[in-house]
Amino acid sequence: MQKRALAVHDISCVGRCSLTVALPVLSAAGVNTSVVPTALLSTHTGGFQGYTHLDLTDQLTPIAEHIATLGLHFDAFYSGYLASENQIDSVLHMIDLLCDEGTHVFVDPAFADKGKIYALLEPSIPAQMRRLCARANTIVPNLTEASFLLGRPYPFGGYDEAFVRSLTLQLSRLGPENVVVTDISLDENH
């Protein structure tokens, strides 16, 4: 039986990120993937100027409620970039509405990189994102997001394996069973 996933993420028209990357990967893996776009951007917000941004917050609940009428089972629920703090409440509602005990909830807290919160997002986003991470089976923050989620300073001066292990242990205390901190390099050549 083919696996089914629901991906809740933005669409960036230019840039190697968002649903434009996730959807082909999941499809190539044989996963029947439904999508709920959180925002439409002309480009992603890192390294581009003058991008457009359409926040789709007002569409999330109506889309989820319609999908709920279809009686579909989702083996996985994946959330990525959320365009505002308000979307976290909508995504939590989607989890309640569309997921069951057999759904693996996977959260990429996609809100920061290189020690800074993404443009367009409020400084209070980490506190709200903790609520979503607490509902996940698996979270995959990058090092910046992990630091912000824990209220710790970003390690601009470097870090070691013990620091990363400490981060993952503390993040698991938020509630997820699995924690993978991405963009870790303990050796500048790897």
Side-chain angles (χ1 to χ4, degrees):
M1 178 187 234
Q2 187 176 37
K3 297 290 185 181
R4 181 183 301 275
L6 179 66
V8 181
H9 209 324
D10 70 299
I11 297 173
S12 292
C13 299
V14 173
R16 293 176 33 184
C17 63
S18 76
L19 282 172
T20 59
V21 173
L23 187 57
V25 170
L26 291 167
S27 181
V31 178
N32 180 342
T33 306
S34 302
V35 300
V36 177
T38 60
L40 176 62
L41 294 94
S42 56
T43 66
H44 62 77
T45 61
F48 293 100
Q49 299 296 317
Y51 50 82
T52 65
H53 177 265
L54 177 63
D55 182 326
L56 298 173
T57 300
D58 64 337
Q59 295 300 306
L60 299 183
T61 297
I63 290 170
E65 288 175 351
H66 178 249
I67 291 172
T69 68
L70 304 177
L72 302 173
H73 165 74
F74 293 100
D75 298 290
F77 179 97
Y78 159 60
S79 73
Y81 177 80
L82 304 180
S84 69
E85 287 182 33
N86 295 336
Q87 288 191 353
I88 293 171
D89 286 329
S90 297
V91 172
L92 288 167
H93 177 65
M94 279 187 217
I95 291 169
D96 291 338
L97 198 61
L98 301 171
C99 299
D100 58 36
E101 63 281 343
T103 305
H104 190 94
V105 178
F106 184 96
V107 173
D108 179 351
F111 67 83
D113 203 9
K114 297 181 177 90
K116 295 190 287 188
I117 292 177
Y118 292 153
L120 305 174
L121 296 178
E122 298 296 323
S124 54
I125 192 83
Q128 297 303 315
M129 190 60 73
R130 277 186 215 106
R131 296 172 44 229
L132 183 55
C133 289
R135 295 285 303 277
N137 299 99
T138 300
I139 63 171
V140 292
N142 64 32
L143 183 59
T144 299
E145 293 153 352
S147 297
F148 276 112
L149 284 168
L150 296 172
R152 295 175 67 158
Y154 178 76
F156 285 104
Y159 50 88
D160 59 14
E161 187 174 341
F163 176 83
V164 177
R165 285 184 187 277
S166 171
L167 278 181
T168 57
L169 180 61
Q170 290 177 53
L171 287 166
S172 69
R173 291 181 185 139
L174 295 176
E177 302 159 27
N178 309 296
V179 175
V180 177
V181 179
T182 64
D183 81 342
I184 297 296
S185 176
L186 299 175
D187 174 342
E188 65 184 51
N189 296 320
H190 296 92

